Amino acid sequence: MPDTDFSEIAENQHSQALMSDKDLIQRVFDHIDQKSTDMGEQTWQEPTINYQNPERLKAEVALMRSKWIVFCPSNALKLAGEFIARDVAGVPLVVVRGSDGKVRAFRNACRHRGVQVADGQGCSKMFVCPYHGWSYGLDGTLRGVPHLNGFPNLEKKKQGLVPVACAEKDNLILVNQEADQQNTEILSDLSAIVPDGYSVIRTETSEIAANWKLHLESTLEGYHIRTTHNQTFFPVQYDNLNIVEAFGQNTRVSFPYQAIEGLRNKPLENWSTNGRLTLVYHLFPNVIISTFPDCMLVVILEPLGLELTRQHTFLLAPDSLDAAALDAVITGQEFARAGAVEDQAVVLSAQRGLASGANKYLNFGLYESGIVRFHSALTEELGQ
Ligand code: FES
Ligand SMILES: [Fe+2]
């Protein structure tokens, strides 16, 4: 390969690496001092039909089946036998940690007549179908068939649960419904996101009556802090002061707190983002991981329809926290929830705005470059 190609690759890798905490904080200080913010290079007009067309939604959900998508944090399935069953891009899956410690994913359908063999979240030694009692091991193999002589031609070895590619990487469990099980290479570097030593302290599922993209968009910019979050985030954060970084198709948006000023006089080695800014990682297309003081949220958006989105949320906190610090996390989450309610209100309103017919396009400006990256990647993936 000629020299020039090498430098191009190096350049590419460089531009995709996330900044260190110290560089990030310095960049925030520069923006505070210059009253500036990160700005994108292009604006974007997203056709409103792309939020309203069932064929477009089908294509987006199909894309989610073809990508490595975070299913849950590793810690949500810590022990052998722990499983979570839920739909991923419209397909019922069950993901379980085996007695060998390995995490596996299966299509959640009995090989007799398709009933789901696992329901919700739990810990089990095997999966027993609630219809006629066929049973499966944690590795998916068909173990038991009541009154087996009723199936003279059944090849038990071939009737295990159908596997789906599943990988555990950087404290996250990911699935890909179209990847070869053998080839579980995930290109994105996720190592900076979920540190070691964090445990899931709460799991929640909720629904919002809006298109999944409207919901996602509300998390990817800080241009709305002053107006939408006037009494919640605005008094403690900054309006329209964000750092936006790209890594692959993914984006990290940083939202500094005014408390970051406290670092100015501290030695560099004490500069930490914890409690000083919220980092929002958007893992393309439908996963958001965000950091808060001493905790983080892993959120997976599951589109249920053009105007309905299910949100799966895992709250993680460091194992090292004492009871008082854990209380502070819970209090902090109540505060964050107040902000989330404000976001929901504008998202529901934007959904009604689609029905108004006023706009052929939604406009995203230079301050909304995380969203511009999302739509341009989605457009490119769907070939439109
Ligand atoms: S459908 Fe599962 S045992 Fe019959
Ligand atoms: Fe918001």
Side-chain angles (χ1 to χ4, degrees):
M1 196 186 286
D3 281 354
T4 46
D5 284 350
F6 278 119
S7 62
E8 211 167 277
I9 290 167
E11 175 71 39
N12 247 333
Q13 283 173 345
H14 181 71
S15 67
Q16 299 219 332
L18 293 170
M19 276 191 258
S20 70
D21 278 11
K22 289 175 184 58
D23 289 347
L24 195 58
I25 291 165
Q26 186 55 57
R27 183 132 154 193
V28 170
F29 286 152
D30 292 346
H31 279 318
I32 293 172
D33 295 342
Q34 293 158 19
K35 299 198 184 333
S36 56
T37 183
D38 275 12
M39 291 174 78
E41 282 164 6
Q42 55 163 332
T43 59
W44 185 270
Q45 290 195 308
E46 180 64 10
T48 41
I49 188 71
N50 285 348
Y51 299 79
Q52 297 174 302
N53 177 352
E55 292 308 313
R56 168 72 181 216
L57 181 67
K58 258 190 217 164
E60 290 166 356
V61 173
L63 178 71
M64 291 172 195
R65 289 196 284 268
S66 75
K67 292 263 168 200
W68 283 101
I69 302 284
V70 171
F71 182 82
C72 65
S74 286
N75 181 267
L77 303 177
K78 202 167 44 175
L79 306 173
E82 285 189 330
F83 69 86
I84 295 175
R86 71 153 194 266
D87 284 8
V88 176
V91 176
L93 299 184
V94 55
V95 179
V96 60
R97 191 173 297 279
S99 21
D100 56 357
K102 195 171 177 256
V103 179
R104 296 178 180 83
F106 303 100
R107 293 178 189 274
N108 188 6
C110 179
R111 300 303 305 282
H112 178 215
R113 283 162 57 188
V115 166
Q116 274 72 78
V117 299
D119 182 34
Q121 183 163 8
C123 189
S124 183
K125 285 201 165 62
M126 57 166 57
F127 298 117
V128 181
C129 178
Y131 205 171
H132 312 91
W134 287 28
S135 58
Y136 302 85
L138 301 179
D139 60 356
T141 49
L142 177 59
R143 290 285 170 78
V145 175
H147 306 293
L148 180 61
N149 51 9
F151 298 90
N153 302 319
L154 183 75
E155 289 187 73
K156 270 175 87 178
K157 277 208 174 77
K158 291 190 181 162
Q159 296 296 305
L161 296 175
V162 175
V164 166
C166 180
E168 190 167 18
K169 185 181 183 323
D170 300 323
N171 298 321
L172 293 166
I173 293 167
L174 301 97
V175 293
N176 184 325
Q177 299 184 44
E178 288 178 12
D180 177 351
Q181 184 69 34
Q182 305 309 315
N183 175 21
T184 51
E185 197 174 311
I186 300 161
L187 293 173
S188 293
D189 177 16
L190 307 174
S191 58
I193 308 180
V194 182
D196 293 339
Y198 272 62
S199 291
V200 175
I201 60 170
R202 192 160 65 200
T203 304
E204 270 177 10
T205 298
S206 58
E207 283 172 16
I208 174 165
N211 187 276
W212 73 279
K213 292 178 291 185
L214 293 179
H215 187 36
L216 173 72
E217 287 158 4
S218 74
T219 67
L220 293 179
E221 45 87 2
Y223 171 49
H224 70 278
I225 297 290
R226 182 195 295 268
T227 39
T228 306
H229 302 300
N230 191 267
Q231 301 301 315
T232 50
F233 299 155
F234 178 55
V236 292
Q237 294 191 358
Y238 295 89
D239 184 45
N240 205 26
L241 198 171
N242 300 102
I243 311 291
V244 182
E245 298 166 87
F247 60 115
Q249 288 175 311
N250 314 307
T251 302
R252 180 170 81 170
V253 186
S254 302
F255 296 76
Y257 311 153
Q258 291 167 23
I260 202 167
E261 289 284 359
L263 293 179
R264 289 225 200 221
N265 304 318
K266 289 226 166 82
L268 266 189
E269 59 268 25
N270 294 350
W271 281 20
S272 149
T273 57
N274 186 27
R276 309 290 183 168
L277 45 82
T278 278
L279 303 167
V280 175
Y281 295 87
H282 171 222
L283 303 183
F284 182 84
N286 62 327
V287 177
I288 308 148
I289 302 181
S290 43
T291 68
F292 298 92
D294 279 336
C295 67
M296 61 198 317
L297 288 174
V298 175
V299 173
I300 300 117
L301 303 181
E302 170 77 15
L304 298 182
L306 280 168
E307 299 183 19
L308 188 59
T309 305
R310 184 171 290 154
Q311 172 172 313
H312 299 282
T313 305
F314 299 88
L315 174 63
L316 294 125
D319 300 329
S320 56
L321 294 190
D322 59 18
L326 214 51
D327 271 355
V329 164
I330 302 300
T331 311
Q333 279 307 297
E334 281 160 19
F335 176 69
R337 204 184 289 266
V341 168
E342 292 165 342
D343 282 324
Q344 279 218 7
V346 289
V347 167
L348 293 172
S349 187
Q351 181 69 51
R352 287 194 296 280
L354 292 174
S356 75
N359 297 309
K360 278 207 158 49
Y361 302 93
L362 300 188
N363 288 294
F364 299 96
L366 301 179
Y367 299 134
E368 296 156 297
S369 62
I371 306 173
V372 172
R373 292 198 77 243
F374 163 62
H375 281 301
S376 76
L378 193 58
T379 303
E380 196 178 311
E381 285 279 359
L382 300 181
Q384 290 162 353

